[in-house]
Short mmCIF file of all heavy atoms in Angstrom, two decimals:
data_model
loop_
_atom_site.label_atom_id
_atom_site.label_comp_id
_atom_site.label_asym_id
_atom_site.label_seq_id
_atom_site.Cartn_x
_atom_site.Cartn_y
_atom_site.Cartn_z
N MET A 1 1.00 0.36 5.38
CA MET A 1 -0.23 0.09 6.12
C MET A 1 0.13 -0.52 7.47
O MET A 1 0.99 -1.38 7.55
CB MET A 1 -1.11 -0.87 5.32
CG MET A 1 -2.34 -1.28 6.11
SD MET A 1 -3.69 -1.79 5.06
CE MET A 1 -2.96 -3.23 4.33
N ILE A 2 -0.56 -0.05 8.49
CA ILE A 2 -0.32 -0.56 9.83
C ILE A 2 -1.62 -1.16 10.34
O ILE A 2 -2.67 -0.52 10.32
CB ILE A 2 0.17 0.56 10.76
CG1 ILE A 2 1.52 1.07 10.27
CG2 ILE A 2 0.28 0.04 12.19
CD1 ILE A 2 2.03 2.27 11.05
N LEU A 3 -1.57 -2.42 10.75
CA LEU A 3 -2.76 -3.04 11.31
C LEU A 3 -2.36 -4.07 12.35
O LEU A 3 -1.23 -4.52 12.41
CB LEU A 3 -3.62 -3.67 10.21
CG LEU A 3 -2.96 -4.59 9.18
CD1 LEU A 3 -2.60 -5.95 9.75
CD2 LEU A 3 -3.93 -4.78 8.03
N GLU A 4 -3.35 -4.43 13.17
CA GLU A 4 -3.13 -5.48 14.15
C GLU A 4 -3.13 -6.82 13.44
O GLU A 4 -3.97 -7.08 12.60
CB GLU A 4 -4.25 -5.47 15.20
CG GLU A 4 -4.00 -4.53 16.35
CD GLU A 4 -5.05 -4.72 17.43
OE1 GLU A 4 -4.97 -5.69 18.18
OE2 GLU A 4 -5.98 -3.90 17.46
N ALA A 5 -2.20 -7.67 13.79
CA ALA A 5 -2.10 -8.97 13.14
C ALA A 5 -2.00 -10.07 14.18
O ALA A 5 -1.42 -9.88 15.24
CB ALA A 5 -0.89 -9.00 12.23
N GLU A 6 -2.59 -11.21 13.86
CA GLU A 6 -2.47 -12.37 14.72
C GLU A 6 -1.54 -13.38 14.04
O GLU A 6 -1.58 -13.53 12.82
CB GLU A 6 -3.84 -13.01 14.94
CG GLU A 6 -4.76 -12.16 15.80
CD GLU A 6 -6.16 -12.75 15.85
OE1 GLU A 6 -6.29 -13.98 15.79
OE2 GLU A 6 -7.11 -11.96 15.92
N PRO A 7 -0.72 -14.07 14.83
CA PRO A 7 0.22 -15.04 14.25
C PRO A 7 -0.52 -16.12 13.47
O PRO A 7 -1.57 -16.60 13.88
CB PRO A 7 0.92 -15.63 15.47
CG PRO A 7 0.74 -14.63 16.56
CD PRO A 7 -0.58 -13.96 16.27
N GLY A 8 0.01 -16.48 12.32
CA GLY A 8 -0.55 -17.57 11.54
C GLY A 8 -1.67 -17.18 10.62
O GLY A 8 -2.12 -17.99 9.81
N LYS A 9 -2.14 -15.96 10.72
CA LYS A 9 -3.23 -15.51 9.86
C LYS A 9 -2.68 -14.85 8.62
O LYS A 9 -1.67 -14.16 8.67
CB LYS A 9 -4.11 -14.51 10.62
CG LYS A 9 -5.48 -15.04 10.98
CD LYS A 9 -6.30 -13.92 11.60
CE LYS A 9 -7.79 -14.18 11.43
NZ LYS A 9 -8.58 -13.07 11.99
N VAL A 10 -3.36 -15.02 7.51
CA VAL A 10 -2.95 -14.37 6.27
C VAL A 10 -3.82 -13.15 6.05
O VAL A 10 -5.04 -13.23 6.10
CB VAL A 10 -3.07 -15.33 5.07
CG1 VAL A 10 -2.76 -14.60 3.77
CG2 VAL A 10 -2.15 -16.52 5.25
N TYR A 11 -3.17 -12.04 5.85
CA TYR A 11 -3.89 -10.79 5.62
C TYR A 11 -3.78 -10.38 4.16
O TYR A 11 -2.74 -10.53 3.55
CB TYR A 11 -3.36 -9.69 6.54
CG TYR A 11 -3.69 -9.96 7.98
CD1 TYR A 11 -2.86 -10.76 8.75
CD2 TYR A 11 -4.85 -9.46 8.55
CE1 TYR A 11 -3.17 -11.06 10.06
CE2 TYR A 11 -5.16 -9.75 9.86
CZ TYR A 11 -4.33 -10.54 10.62
OH TYR A 11 -4.64 -10.82 11.91
N VAL A 12 -4.86 -9.88 3.64
CA VAL A 12 -4.91 -9.56 2.21
C VAL A 12 -5.21 -8.08 2.05
O VAL A 12 -6.03 -7.51 2.77
CB VAL A 12 -6.00 -10.40 1.52
CG1 VAL A 12 -6.15 -9.99 0.05
CG2 VAL A 12 -5.67 -11.88 1.62
N ASP A 13 -4.52 -7.47 1.11
CA ASP A 13 -4.74 -6.06 0.83
C ASP A 13 -6.17 -5.84 0.36
O ASP A 13 -6.65 -6.52 -0.54
CB ASP A 13 -3.75 -5.61 -0.24
CG ASP A 13 -3.77 -4.09 -0.42
OD1 ASP A 13 -4.79 -3.56 -0.88
OD2 ASP A 13 -2.76 -3.46 -0.06
N ARG A 14 -6.85 -4.87 0.97
CA ARG A 14 -8.26 -4.63 0.65
C ARG A 14 -8.45 -4.15 -0.78
O ARG A 14 -9.46 -4.39 -1.40
CB ARG A 14 -8.83 -3.59 1.62
CG ARG A 14 -9.53 -4.22 2.82
CD ARG A 14 -9.93 -3.14 3.80
NE ARG A 14 -9.10 -3.20 5.01
CZ ARG A 14 -8.91 -2.18 5.83
NH1 ARG A 14 -9.46 -1.03 5.59
NH2 ARG A 14 -8.18 -2.32 6.90
N ASP A 15 -7.46 -3.45 -1.32
CA ASP A 15 -7.62 -2.87 -2.65
C ASP A 15 -7.17 -3.81 -3.76
O ASP A 15 -7.84 -3.95 -4.77
CB ASP A 15 -6.82 -1.57 -2.74
CG ASP A 15 -7.33 -0.53 -1.75
OD1 ASP A 15 -8.55 -0.48 -1.54
OD2 ASP A 15 -6.51 0.22 -1.20
N THR A 16 -6.04 -4.47 -3.56
CA THR A 16 -5.47 -5.25 -4.64
C THR A 16 -5.71 -6.75 -4.49
O THR A 16 -5.58 -7.49 -5.45
CB THR A 16 -3.94 -5.03 -4.72
OG1 THR A 16 -3.34 -5.54 -3.53
CG2 THR A 16 -3.63 -3.55 -4.86
N GLY A 17 -6.06 -7.20 -3.28
CA GLY A 17 -6.26 -8.64 -3.06
C GLY A 17 -4.97 -9.40 -2.88
O GLY A 17 -4.98 -10.62 -2.74
N GLU A 18 -3.86 -8.68 -2.87
CA GLU A 18 -2.58 -9.36 -2.72
C GLU A 18 -2.33 -9.69 -1.25
O GLU A 18 -2.69 -8.91 -0.37
CB GLU A 18 -1.44 -8.46 -3.19
CG GLU A 18 -1.42 -8.24 -4.69
CD GLU A 18 -0.36 -7.22 -5.07
OE1 GLU A 18 0.60 -7.05 -4.31
OE2 GLU A 18 -0.52 -6.58 -6.12
N PRO A 19 -1.73 -10.84 -0.99
CA PRO A 19 -1.38 -11.16 0.40
C PRO A 19 -0.39 -10.14 0.94
O PRO A 19 0.50 -9.68 0.23
CB PRO A 19 -0.71 -12.54 0.31
CG PRO A 19 -1.10 -13.08 -1.03
CD PRO A 19 -1.35 -11.88 -1.92
N LEU A 20 -0.56 -9.77 2.20
CA LEU A 20 0.31 -8.77 2.79
C LEU A 20 1.55 -9.44 3.35
O LEU A 20 1.50 -10.52 3.91
CB LEU A 20 -0.42 -8.03 3.92
CG LEU A 20 -1.62 -7.20 3.47
CD1 LEU A 20 -2.28 -6.57 4.68
CD2 LEU A 20 -1.19 -6.13 2.49
N GLU A 21 2.64 -8.74 3.21
CA GLU A 21 3.91 -9.21 3.74
C GLU A 21 4.24 -8.39 4.97
O GLU A 21 4.13 -7.17 4.95
CB GLU A 21 4.99 -9.01 2.68
CG GLU A 21 6.27 -9.73 2.96
CD GLU A 21 7.29 -9.51 1.84
OE1 GLU A 21 6.85 -9.33 0.68
OE2 GLU A 21 8.48 -9.50 2.14
N VAL A 22 4.62 -9.07 6.04
CA VAL A 22 4.97 -8.34 7.26
C VAL A 22 6.34 -7.71 7.08
O VAL A 22 7.32 -8.39 6.82
CB VAL A 22 4.98 -9.29 8.48
CG1 VAL A 22 5.39 -8.53 9.73
CG2 VAL A 22 3.60 -9.91 8.66
N VAL A 23 6.39 -6.38 7.16
CA VAL A 23 7.65 -5.69 6.96
C VAL A 23 8.24 -5.17 8.27
O VAL A 23 9.39 -4.83 8.34
CB VAL A 23 7.51 -4.51 5.98
CG1 VAL A 23 7.15 -5.03 4.59
CG2 VAL A 23 6.45 -3.54 6.45
N GLY A 24 7.45 -5.13 9.29
CA GLY A 24 7.99 -4.66 10.55
C GLY A 24 6.96 -4.80 11.64
O GLY A 24 5.76 -4.89 11.36
N LYS A 25 7.42 -4.86 12.86
CA LYS A 25 6.50 -4.93 13.99
C LYS A 25 6.55 -3.63 14.77
O LYS A 25 7.63 -3.05 14.95
CB LYS A 25 6.88 -6.10 14.91
CG LYS A 25 6.61 -7.45 14.28
CD LYS A 25 6.98 -8.56 15.25
CE LYS A 25 6.77 -9.91 14.59
NZ LYS A 25 7.20 -11.02 15.47
N LEU A 26 5.40 -3.19 15.19
CA LEU A 26 5.34 -1.98 16.00
C LEU A 26 5.20 -2.37 17.46
O LEU A 26 4.54 -3.34 17.79
CB LEU A 26 4.16 -1.13 15.58
CG LEU A 26 4.14 -0.76 14.09
CD1 LEU A 26 2.91 0.08 13.79
CD2 LEU A 26 5.38 -0.01 13.71
N VAL A 27 5.83 -1.59 18.27
CA VAL A 27 5.76 -1.88 19.71
C VAL A 27 5.13 -0.68 20.42
O VAL A 27 5.24 0.45 19.96
CB VAL A 27 7.16 -2.14 20.29
CG1 VAL A 27 7.75 -3.41 19.69
CG2 VAL A 27 8.08 -0.98 20.05
N PRO A 28 4.46 -0.95 21.52
CA PRO A 28 3.86 0.16 22.27
C PRO A 28 4.92 1.13 22.78
O PRO A 28 6.02 0.72 23.16
CB PRO A 28 3.17 -0.54 23.45
CG PRO A 28 3.08 -1.97 23.06
CD PRO A 28 4.22 -2.25 22.14
N VAL A 29 4.61 2.39 22.78
CA VAL A 29 5.58 3.40 23.23
C VAL A 29 5.48 3.58 24.74
O VAL A 29 6.47 3.57 25.44
CB VAL A 29 5.34 4.74 22.53
CG1 VAL A 29 6.29 5.79 23.07
CG2 VAL A 29 5.51 4.58 21.03
N ALA A 30 4.27 3.76 25.24
CA ALA A 30 4.08 3.99 26.67
C ALA A 30 3.67 2.69 27.35
O ALA A 30 3.11 1.82 26.70
CB ALA A 30 3.01 5.06 26.86
N PRO A 31 3.84 2.52 28.64
CA PRO A 31 4.43 3.52 29.53
C PRO A 31 5.93 3.40 29.67
O PRO A 31 6.56 4.28 30.21
CB PRO A 31 3.76 3.20 30.88
CG PRO A 31 3.53 1.72 30.82
CD PRO A 31 3.31 1.37 29.35
N SER A 32 6.54 2.31 29.21
CA SER A 32 7.96 2.14 29.46
C SER A 32 8.78 2.94 28.46
O SER A 32 8.37 3.16 27.32
CB SER A 32 8.33 0.66 29.35
OG SER A 32 8.13 0.21 28.04
N GLN A 33 9.97 3.33 28.86
CA GLN A 33 10.88 4.03 27.96
C GLN A 33 11.68 2.98 27.20
O GLN A 33 12.83 2.71 27.48
CB GLN A 33 11.82 4.94 28.76
CG GLN A 33 11.12 6.15 29.36
CD GLN A 33 10.73 7.17 28.31
OE1 GLN A 33 11.44 7.35 27.33
NE2 GLN A 33 9.58 7.80 28.49
N SER A 34 11.04 2.42 26.20
CA SER A 34 11.67 1.34 25.46
C SER A 34 12.85 1.85 24.65
O SER A 34 12.82 2.94 24.10
CB SER A 34 10.65 0.69 24.54
OG SER A 34 11.29 -0.26 23.72
N LYS A 35 13.88 1.02 24.55
CA LYS A 35 15.04 1.37 23.75
C LYS A 35 14.86 0.92 22.30
O LYS A 35 15.69 1.21 21.46
CB LYS A 35 16.30 0.70 24.33
CG LYS A 35 16.65 1.16 25.74
CD LYS A 35 17.68 2.26 25.68
CE LYS A 35 18.34 2.54 27.03
NZ LYS A 35 17.46 2.48 28.17
N LEU A 36 13.81 0.19 22.04
CA LEU A 36 13.59 -0.31 20.69
C LEU A 36 13.32 0.85 19.73
O LEU A 36 12.53 1.73 20.02
CB LEU A 36 12.41 -1.28 20.65
CG LEU A 36 12.65 -2.62 21.34
CD1 LEU A 36 11.35 -3.40 21.44
CD2 LEU A 36 13.69 -3.43 20.60
N PRO A 37 13.99 0.85 18.57
CA PRO A 37 13.82 1.96 17.62
C PRO A 37 12.56 1.86 16.78
O PRO A 37 12.16 2.83 16.16
CB PRO A 37 15.07 1.84 16.74
CG PRO A 37 15.40 0.38 16.75
CD PRO A 37 14.99 -0.13 18.12
N TRP A 38 11.92 0.67 16.73
CA TRP A 38 10.81 0.48 15.81
C TRP A 38 9.49 0.87 16.44
O TRP A 38 8.72 0.05 16.92
CB TRP A 38 10.75 -0.97 15.33
CG TRP A 38 11.93 -1.28 14.48
CD1 TRP A 38 13.15 -1.70 14.92
CD2 TRP A 38 12.03 -1.15 13.06
NE1 TRP A 38 13.99 -1.85 13.84
CE2 TRP A 38 13.33 -1.52 12.70
CE3 TRP A 38 11.13 -0.74 12.08
CZ2 TRP A 38 13.75 -1.50 11.37
CZ3 TRP A 38 11.57 -0.75 10.77
CH2 TRP A 38 12.87 -1.12 10.42
N THR A 39 9.25 2.15 16.51
CA THR A 39 7.97 2.65 16.97
C THR A 39 7.35 3.46 15.84
O THR A 39 8.06 3.89 14.93
CB THR A 39 8.14 3.54 18.21
OG1 THR A 39 8.92 4.68 17.84
CG2 THR A 39 8.84 2.80 19.33
N PRO A 40 6.05 3.70 15.86
CA PRO A 40 5.45 4.48 14.76
C PRO A 40 6.08 5.85 14.58
O PRO A 40 6.15 6.35 13.46
CB PRO A 40 3.99 4.62 15.22
CG PRO A 40 3.76 3.43 16.08
CD PRO A 40 5.08 3.16 16.77
N GLU A 41 6.59 6.43 15.65
CA GLU A 41 7.16 7.77 15.56
C GLU A 41 8.50 7.77 14.83
O GLU A 41 8.96 8.82 14.39
CB GLU A 41 7.35 8.37 16.95
CG GLU A 41 6.08 8.85 17.60
CD GLU A 41 5.21 7.71 18.08
OE1 GLU A 41 5.72 6.62 18.32
OE2 GLU A 41 3.99 7.93 18.22
N THR A 42 9.17 6.61 14.73
CA THR A 42 10.48 6.59 14.09
C THR A 42 10.42 5.98 12.70
O THR A 42 11.44 5.74 12.08
CB THR A 42 11.49 5.79 14.94
OG1 THR A 42 11.03 4.45 15.06
CG2 THR A 42 11.63 6.41 16.32
N LEU A 43 9.22 5.73 12.21
CA LEU A 43 9.07 5.14 10.88
C LEU A 43 8.30 6.06 9.96
O LEU A 43 7.48 6.85 10.39
CB LEU A 43 8.33 3.79 10.98
CG LEU A 43 9.03 2.69 11.75
CD1 LEU A 43 8.10 1.51 11.91
CD2 LEU A 43 10.31 2.27 11.05
N ARG A 44 8.56 5.92 8.68
CA ARG A 44 7.76 6.62 7.68
C ARG A 44 7.74 5.79 6.41
O ARG A 44 8.53 4.87 6.24
CB ARG A 44 8.32 8.00 7.40
CG ARG A 44 9.73 7.97 6.84
CD ARG A 44 10.09 9.36 6.35
NE ARG A 44 11.53 9.49 6.12
CZ ARG A 44 12.04 10.38 5.28
NH1 ARG A 44 11.25 11.18 4.61
NH2 ARG A 44 13.33 10.48 5.12
N PHE A 45 6.84 6.14 5.52
CA PHE A 45 6.72 5.40 4.28
C PHE A 45 7.54 6.08 3.19
O PHE A 45 7.47 7.30 3.02
CB PHE A 45 5.26 5.32 3.83
CG PHE A 45 4.43 4.39 4.68
CD1 PHE A 45 3.64 4.87 5.70
CD2 PHE A 45 4.48 3.02 4.44
CE1 PHE A 45 2.88 4.01 6.49
CE2 PHE A 45 3.73 2.15 5.21
CZ PHE A 45 2.93 2.64 6.24
N CYS A 46 8.30 5.30 2.46
CA CYS A 46 9.02 5.79 1.30
C CYS A 46 8.02 6.25 0.26
O CYS A 46 7.08 5.53 -0.07
CB CYS A 46 9.91 4.68 0.74
SG CYS A 46 10.66 5.11 -0.84
N PRO A 47 8.19 7.48 -0.29
CA PRO A 47 7.25 7.97 -1.30
C PRO A 47 7.37 7.23 -2.63
O PRO A 47 6.49 7.33 -3.47
CB PRO A 47 7.63 9.45 -1.46
CG PRO A 47 9.06 9.51 -1.03
CD PRO A 47 9.23 8.46 0.03
N TRP A 48 8.45 6.47 -2.82
CA TRP A 48 8.67 5.78 -4.10
C TRP A 48 8.12 4.37 -4.06
O TRP A 48 7.40 3.97 -4.97
CB TRP A 48 10.16 5.73 -4.42
CG TRP A 48 10.79 7.09 -4.46
CD1 TRP A 48 11.60 7.65 -3.50
CD2 TRP A 48 10.65 8.09 -5.47
NE1 TRP A 48 11.95 8.92 -3.87
CE2 TRP A 48 11.40 9.20 -5.07
CE3 TRP A 48 9.96 8.12 -6.69
CZ2 TRP A 48 11.47 10.36 -5.85
CZ3 TRP A 48 10.04 9.27 -7.46
CH2 TRP A 48 10.80 10.37 -7.04
N CYS A 49 8.47 3.60 -3.01
CA CYS A 49 8.09 2.19 -3.00
C CYS A 49 7.08 1.88 -1.90
O CYS A 49 6.60 0.75 -1.80
CB CYS A 49 9.33 1.31 -2.84
SG CYS A 49 10.15 1.47 -1.24
N GLN A 50 6.74 2.86 -1.09
CA GLN A 50 5.70 2.73 -0.05
C GLN A 50 6.09 1.75 1.05
O GLN A 50 5.23 1.26 1.78
CB GLN A 50 4.36 2.30 -0.65
CG GLN A 50 3.89 3.16 -1.81
CD GLN A 50 3.77 4.64 -1.45
OE1 GLN A 50 3.28 4.97 -0.39
NE2 GLN A 50 4.24 5.50 -2.32
N GLN A 51 7.38 1.45 1.18
CA GLN A 51 7.81 0.57 2.25
C GLN A 51 8.22 1.41 3.46
O GLN A 51 8.65 2.55 3.32
CB GLN A 51 9.00 -0.29 1.80
CG GLN A 51 8.66 -1.23 0.65
CD GLN A 51 7.55 -2.19 1.00
OE1 GLN A 51 7.62 -2.90 2.00
NE2 GLN A 51 6.51 -2.19 0.18
N LEU A 52 8.10 0.82 4.64
CA LEU A 52 8.49 1.52 5.86
C LEU A 52 10.00 1.63 5.95
O LEU A 52 10.72 0.70 5.63
CB LEU A 52 7.97 0.78 7.09
CG LEU A 52 6.49 0.93 7.39
CD1 LEU A 52 6.08 -0.05 8.47
CD2 LEU A 52 6.18 2.35 7.84
N SER A 53 10.45 2.79 6.38
CA SER A 53 11.86 2.95 6.66
C SER A 53 12.00 3.83 7.89
O SER A 53 11.04 4.47 8.32
CB SER A 53 12.58 3.59 5.47
OG SER A 53 12.12 4.92 5.31
N GLN A 54 13.20 3.85 8.45
CA GLN A 54 13.41 4.70 9.61
C GLN A 54 13.40 6.15 9.19
O GLN A 54 13.90 6.53 8.14
CB GLN A 54 14.72 4.32 10.30
CG GLN A 54 14.59 3.05 11.11
CD GLN A 54 15.93 2.42 11.38
OE1 GLN A 54 16.52 1.80 10.52
NE2 GLN A 54 16.42 2.60 12.58
N ILE A 55 12.82 6.98 10.05
CA ILE A 55 12.50 8.35 9.67
C ILE A 55 13.75 9.20 9.48
O ILE A 55 13.73 10.20 8.77
CB ILE A 55 11.57 8.97 10.74
CG1 ILE A 55 10.77 10.12 10.14
CG2 ILE A 55 12.33 9.40 11.98
CD1 ILE A 55 9.59 10.55 10.98
N ASP A 56 14.86 8.82 10.10
CA ASP A 56 16.06 9.66 10.01
C ASP A 56 16.95 9.28 8.83
O ASP A 56 18.01 9.85 8.64
CB ASP A 56 16.84 9.61 11.32
CG ASP A 56 17.19 8.19 11.74
OD1 ASP A 56 16.70 7.24 11.09
OD2 ASP A 56 17.95 8.04 12.71
N LEU A 57 16.51 8.32 8.02
CA LEU A 57 17.29 7.95 6.85
C LEU A 57 16.95 8.87 5.68
O LEU A 57 15.79 9.24 5.49
CB LEU A 57 16.99 6.50 6.44
CG LEU A 57 17.45 5.41 7.41
CD1 LEU A 57 17.00 4.05 6.91
CD2 LEU A 57 18.95 5.44 7.61
N ASN A 58 17.97 9.25 4.91
CA ASN A 58 17.73 10.07 3.72
C ASN A 58 17.40 9.20 2.52
O ASN A 58 16.61 9.59 1.66
CB ASN A 58 18.95 10.93 3.40
CG ASN A 58 19.12 12.04 4.41
OD1 ASN A 58 18.15 12.58 4.90
ND2 ASN A 58 20.36 12.36 4.73
N ASP A 59 18.03 8.02 2.46
CA ASP A 59 17.81 7.13 1.33
C ASP A 59 17.03 5.91 1.79
O ASP A 59 17.30 5.33 2.84
CB ASP A 59 19.15 6.69 0.74
CG ASP A 59 19.95 7.88 0.21
OD1 ASP A 59 19.32 8.78 -0.34
OD2 ASP A 59 21.17 7.88 0.37
N CYS A 60 16.06 5.51 1.01
CA CYS A 60 15.23 4.36 1.34
C CYS A 60 16.06 3.08 1.37
O CYS A 60 16.78 2.81 0.42
CB CYS A 60 14.11 4.24 0.30
SG CYS A 60 13.12 2.75 0.49
N PRO A 61 15.98 2.30 2.45
CA PRO A 61 16.75 1.06 2.51
C PRO A 61 16.17 -0.02 1.60
O PRO A 61 16.83 -1.00 1.32
CB PRO A 61 16.65 0.64 3.99
CG PRO A 61 15.39 1.28 4.47
CD PRO A 61 15.21 2.55 3.67
N THR A 62 14.94 0.16 1.14
CA THR A 62 14.31 -0.85 0.29
C THR A 62 14.64 -0.62 -1.18
O THR A 62 15.08 -1.52 -1.87
CB THR A 62 12.78 -0.83 0.48
OG1 THR A 62 12.50 -1.04 1.87
CG2 THR A 62 12.12 -1.93 -0.34
N CYS A 63 14.42 0.60 -1.67
CA CYS A 63 14.61 0.85 -3.11
C CYS A 63 15.83 1.73 -3.37
O CYS A 63 16.21 1.90 -4.52
CB CYS A 63 13.36 1.48 -3.71
SG CYS A 63 13.01 3.15 -3.13
N GLY A 64 16.42 2.32 -2.32
CA GLY A 64 17.64 3.08 -2.48
C GLY A 64 17.45 4.49 -3.00
O GLY A 64 18.42 5.20 -3.23
N ARG A 65 16.20 4.91 -3.17
CA ARG A 65 15.96 6.26 -3.70
C ARG A 65 15.92 7.27 -2.56
O ARG A 65 15.63 6.92 -1.42
CB ARG A 65 14.66 6.29 -4.48
CG ARG A 65 14.71 5.41 -5.70
CD ARG A 65 13.34 5.23 -6.27
NE ARG A 65 13.10 6.12 -7.41
CZ ARG A 65 12.13 5.92 -8.30
NH1 ARG A 65 11.32 4.89 -8.19
NH2 ARG A 65 11.95 6.75 -9.28
N ARG A 66 16.21 8.51 -2.91
CA ARG A 66 16.24 9.56 -1.91
C ARG A 66 14.82 9.93 -1.52
O ARG A 66 13.98 10.20 -2.38
CB ARG A 66 16.98 10.77 -2.47
CG ARG A 66 17.29 11.79 -1.40
CD ARG A 66 18.36 12.75 -1.90
NE ARG A 66 18.78 13.61 -0.81
CZ ARG A 66 19.69 13.29 0.08
NH1 ARG A 66 20.28 12.13 -0.01
NH2 ARG A 66 20.02 14.10 1.06
N MET A 67 14.56 9.94 -0.22
CA MET A 67 13.20 10.19 0.26
C MET A 67 12.96 11.65 0.60
O MET A 67 11.82 12.07 0.75
CB MET A 67 12.90 9.32 1.49
CG MET A 67 12.92 7.84 1.18
SD MET A 67 12.40 6.83 2.58
CE MET A 67 13.74 7.13 3.70
N GLY A 68 14.03 12.43 0.73
CA GLY A 68 13.84 13.83 1.10
C GLY A 68 13.55 13.97 2.58
O GLY A 68 13.51 13.00 3.32
N PRO A 69 13.35 15.21 3.00
CA PRO A 69 13.12 15.45 4.43
C PRO A 69 11.80 14.86 4.88
O PRO A 69 10.83 14.84 4.12
CB PRO A 69 13.12 16.98 4.54
CG PRO A 69 12.75 17.46 3.18
CD PRO A 69 13.31 16.43 2.22
N PRO A 70 11.74 14.34 6.12
CA PRO A 70 10.50 13.76 6.62
C PRO A 70 9.43 14.83 6.85
O PRO A 70 9.74 15.98 7.14
CB PRO A 70 10.91 13.11 7.95
CG PRO A 70 12.17 13.80 8.34
CD PRO A 70 12.84 14.24 7.07
N ASP A 71 8.17 14.43 6.71
CA ASP A 71 7.06 15.34 7.03
C ASP A 71 6.98 15.50 8.54
O ASP A 71 6.91 14.53 9.26
CB ASP A 71 5.74 14.76 6.53
CG ASP A 71 5.83 14.47 5.03
OD1 ASP A 71 6.53 15.21 4.34
OD2 ASP A 71 5.18 13.51 4.59
N GLN A 72 6.97 16.72 9.01
CA GLN A 72 6.87 16.93 10.45
C GLN A 72 5.87 18.03 10.73
O GLN A 72 5.78 18.95 9.96
CB GLN A 72 8.22 17.33 11.03
CG GLN A 72 9.25 16.23 10.89
CD GLN A 72 9.43 15.40 12.15
OE1 GLN A 72 8.98 15.82 13.20
NE2 GLN A 72 10.04 14.25 12.04
ZN1 ZN B 101 11.72 3.12 -1.28
#
């Protein structure tokens, strides 16, 4: 899940009521040619554990399972 967050605020999952854990920060892509790899275009969700990982990885860094080719 991707949402806007303010520092110090606690966000709760709408479905489960569980507090959300920040797993990554997204940065704006335009207008600068940022060198930072963490943009929405370079991330995807692991189909097994639903955690964000980099899109070019074959194995999930969180659960270690094979994610297969990215959806494009
Ligand atoms: Zn995973």
Side-chain angles (χ1 to χ4, degrees):
M1 175 156 64
I2 296 174
L3 49 74
E4 273 188 78
E6 291 173 33
K9 250 185 156 182
V10 175
Y11 292 86
V12 175
D13 189 293
R14 265 174 251 158
D15 298 323
T16 65
E18 291 174 24
L20 295 178
E21 194 179 330
V22 178
V23 294
K25 290 181 183 177
L26 304 180
V27 295
V29 176
S32 65
Q33 290 288 325
S34 174
K35 297 264 194 322
L36 290 171
W38 293 87
T39 63
E41 284 74 22
T42 61
L43 296 173
R44 62 170 165 155
F45 288 98
C46 171
W48 304 104
C49 67
Q50 309 303 317
Q51 297 300 306
L52 283 170
S53 67
Q54 283 160 283
I55 204 165
D56 55 352
L57 293 176
N58 289 325
D59 298 323
C60 173
T62 303
C63 68
R65 296 168 99 162
R66 191 163 188 84
M67 297 186 293
D71 304 327
Q72 296 262 345

